[in-house]
Amino acid sequence: GESVGLHLPTLSVQEGDNSIINCAYSNSASDYFIWYKQESGKGPQFIIDIRSNMDKRQGQRVTVLLNKTVKHLSLQIAATQPGDSAVYFCAERMASSGTASKLTFGTGTRLQVTL
Amino acid sequence: ETGVTQSPTHLIKTRGQQVTLRCSSQSGHNTVSWYQQALGQGPQFIFQYYREEENGRGNFPPRFSGLQFPNYSSELNVNALELDDSALYLCASSSRDRGRGYTFGSGTRLTVV
């Protein structure tokens, strides 16, 4: 079936540098995308989301870019900090019509921040 | 506003047993979804509940069942446990009316021995 995938399983960056985590999705019917951060032993924590009618959205130190032409999603983290170390998932939601609006996740990218 | 609460946090069961996991949804949310997350993988959708009825199901057998209560809290039941059922079970609540924003709980770590 359709799934969300990630290009890099592990990303190592130095503290203070910018991080870019990429994600490819295959379902052109998806209307909503979310980035989650998951620390060991915890549930996914919402970072930022974007609807399919947008191509960029900014939050505090984070930016999500959506390129529907190539079905690509990215998460940019500015001035990466040790506390950003975690596994990051992108998730997509297919547009629903009264039925379950499930999220489809990729396998995740581990971000390691070095001092 | 309160977040999503799951109980218990950890559980060890024997193969063949039955288990019930519980979830309290975030205030203002009326929809609850359950996900299974195997070690090193992303969460996989099990099913979703809205207005106390199952509203969609992923690729999981019938021995995975659930309930949603009038206060929007939910239970996940798994019968005839198998070793492969060992995973982190996540509950996510959302508001169907708002159409966005899925809040996850910290999960229940189930180990089947």
Side-chain angles (χ1 to χ4, degrees):
Chain A
E2 305 267 19
S3 66
V4 173
L6 297 173
H7 295 303
L8 299 172
T10 303
L11 177 66
S12 185
V13 299
Q14 278 201 315
E15 182 181 5
D17 288 351
N18 296 333
S19 302
I20 299 177
I21 301 173
N22 296 302
C23 172
Y25 67 94
S26 58
N27 195 331
S28 57
S30 293
D31 69 339
Y32 178 56
F33 303 86
I34 311 172
W35 279 101
Y36 285 97
K37 172 186 180 183
Q38 188 174 25
E39 296 173 289
S40 181
K42 298 184 179 180
Q45 175 188 353
F46 173 90
I47 301 172
I48 191 167
D49 59 1
I50 187 168
R51 289 190 181 277
S52 59
N53 60 355
M54 303 172 67
D55 53 21
K56 181 179 180 179
R57 189 153 189 252
Q58 287 184 292
Q60 187 176 16
R61 280 203 308 120
V62 294
T63 301
V64 56
L65 299 177
L66 175 62
N67 186 330
K68 293 181 288 294
T69 302
V70 295
K71 296 179 186 173
H72 184 266
L73 194 68
S74 69
L75 175 70
Q76 299 177 3
I77 304 173
T80 311
Q81 302 169 359
D84 294 328
S85 294
V87 176
Y88 289 79
F89 294 97
C90 65
E92 64 177 317
R93 184 190 72 185
M94 250 178 50
S96 62
S97 55
T99 56
S101 52
K102 70 174 186 177
L103 295 178
T104 301
F105 287 81
T107 54
T109 293
R110 180 173 300 281
L111 176 64
Q112 295 177 331
V113 182
T114 58
L115 302 177
Chain B
E1 70 185 7
T2 58
V4 175
T5 305
Q6 291 187 243
S7 64
T9 55
H10 296 83
L11 201 53
I12 300 175
K13 288 286 190 177
T14 303
R15 189 171 48 183
Q17 285 188 313
Q18 177 266 343
V19 69
T20 298
L21 310 181
R22 295 178 174 81
C23 171
S24 295
S25 62
Q26 179 171 307
S27 175
H29 284 180
N30 56 17
T31 302
V32 173
S33 304
W34 286 91
Y35 290 80
Q36 180 195 66
Q37 185 176 24
L39 200 60
Q41 297 184 19
Q44 298 291 314
F45 177 75
I46 302 175
F47 44 53
Q48 184 178 85
Y49 277 82
Y50 173 67
R51 290 185 175 176
E52 302 175 47
E53 291 188 358
E54 187 178 294
N55 188 41
R57 190 177 188 92
N59 189 26
F60 282 82
R63 59 190 185 83
F64 285 77
S65 63
L67 288 172
Q68 185 182 32
F69 300 99
N71 66 353
Y72 307 123
S73 66
S74 177
E75 287 182 356
L76 164 65
N77 299 292
V78 186
N79 293 323
L81 284 167
E82 300 176 0
L83 297 179
D84 285 349
D85 295 333
S86 296
L88 180 67
Y89 288 84
L90 296 162
C91 169
S93 73
S94 57
S95 174
R96 186 170 177 150
D97 308 317
R98 291 188 213 148
R100 63 185 292 179
Y102 296 77
T103 304
F104 282 83
S106 294
T108 294
R109 172 68 63 184
L110 173 65
T111 302
V112 182
V113 297

